[in-house]
Amino acid sequence: MRHIVLAAGLAVSLSACASTYVGKPYDRAAAQVSTVGVADDSVPAKITAWEVANAGSNFGLIGALANASITASREAALNEALTGAGFDAESKLEARLAEILTAEGYAASVVAGPDRDKRVHLTAFPASETRPDAYLDLVVTNYGYLSAGVGQPWRPTVSASVRLVSATDATRVLMENQIVYNGMYVQRGVITLTPNPDYAFKNREDMLSDPNRLAAGLEDALNQVADTAVRLLK
């Protein structure tokens, strides 16, 4: 576990020094896309709830093990609360994407399957008699709640990668970008969204006291990511 914690710290350090991310801009006139299929399985099944600077970080392996246990307990409780509130992040995000794509002048609908083995972009899409011109493949790699440290507020966080790919050739990427809502650290070149101050929680008890507000914070964050992704296609 200590090796994992040290590796994570090194990854953050290296990421801060990494070269600027460069997305692929969209040329709507050249792409000639009028119908868009929204790829399914866009959101992980469970949320995360990560405290960046925690009390256990100063106590080596024992502290790391204690923090892992606390994190697992916190995440289990929050996921249970969201289930009880009937929150379905995936269906809400995909419906939002189809809705705002339509508002932008595209004919859009959600395309079922295939499921993702990992939180990465799809390399193939289902065959269909009414195949769209392109697929919008927005994959949320992580979402949940994030705190900067002990005593700091908990706010929604989302990390996502988005592509528009040709329906006839999945290797032909028409647009690509990365979007982070309230990320752990700034990533150069990545679209970074600031958190909505209306959804800040004091602690675990505060989050669990109102599951509907807990879900609303996540839905708001996912909506902002979806809206940002579609704006890339104007």
Side-chain angles (χ1 to χ4, degrees):
M1 177 65 71
R2 187 176 185 179
H3 292 161
I4 295 174
V5 173
L6 291 174
L10 179 59
V12 170
S13 175
L14 291 175
S15 295
C17 301
S19 59
T20 301
Y21 170 77
V22 179
K24 180 179 177 60
Y26 181 61
D27 186 336
R28 186 166 183 172
Q32 294 293 299
V33 170
S34 61
T35 58
V36 177
V38 176
D40 201 8
D41 194 16
S42 56
V43 182
K46 302 290 185 181
I47 71 163
T48 60
W50 180 252
E51 189 175 61
V52 179
N54 55 77
S57 60
N58 296 321
F59 297 96
L61 178 59
I62 293 176
L65 290 172
N67 180 59
S69 177
I70 292 170
T71 299
S73 173
R74 181 194 303 123
E75 291 178 348
L78 294 179
N79 278 293
E80 183 177 352
L82 290 169
T83 298
F87 180 61
D88 186 344
E90 181 180 323
S91 65
K92 287 182 177 295
L93 174 63
E94 291 167 1
R96 177 78 171 202
L97 287 168
E99 176 186 351
I100 55 181
L101 280 165
T102 301
E104 285 297 326
Y106 295 97
S109 60
V110 179
V111 179
D115 289 342
R116 302 173 199 272
D117 293 329
K118 298 179 180 179
R119 302 312 304 168
V120 296
H121 288 293
L122 298 173
T123 57
F125 298 92
S128 172
E129 294 181 359
T130 57
R131 185 168 57 186
D133 298 324
Y135 290 99
L136 183 65
D137 186 12
L138 189 153
V139 52
V140 174
T141 54
N142 176 71
Y143 85 118
Y145 276 85
L146 179 69
S147 169
V150 178
Q152 298 300 308
W154 289 84
R155 296 185 173 92
T157 182
V158 180
S159 297
S161 181
V162 60
R163 283 180 178 175
L164 185 74
V165 299
S166 168
T168 57
D169 180 2
T171 66
R172 184 180 170 222
V173 178
L174 305 173
M175 179 278 290
E176 182 173 8
N177 224 307
Q178 294 181 11
I179 305 168
V180 174
Y181 176 99
N182 186 34
M184 191 180 302
Y185 54 90
V186 175
Q187 303 171 69
R188 291 182 294 174
V190 172
I191 298 172
T192 303
L193 307 177
T194 56
N196 185 339
D198 291 341
Y199 298 105
F201 297 83
K202 296 178 181 178
N203 48 37
R204 169 176 170 163
E205 290 70 27
D206 190 22
M207 288 190 281
L208 291 174
S209 69
D210 192 345
N212 288 327
R213 182 167 174 259
L214 183 75
L218 292 171
E219 183 173 357
D220 177 73
L222 290 167
N223 284 348
Q224 291 195 47
V225 170
D227 294 355
T228 301
V230 174
R231 279 197 294 271
L232 296 170
L233 299 179
K234 286 188 174 183

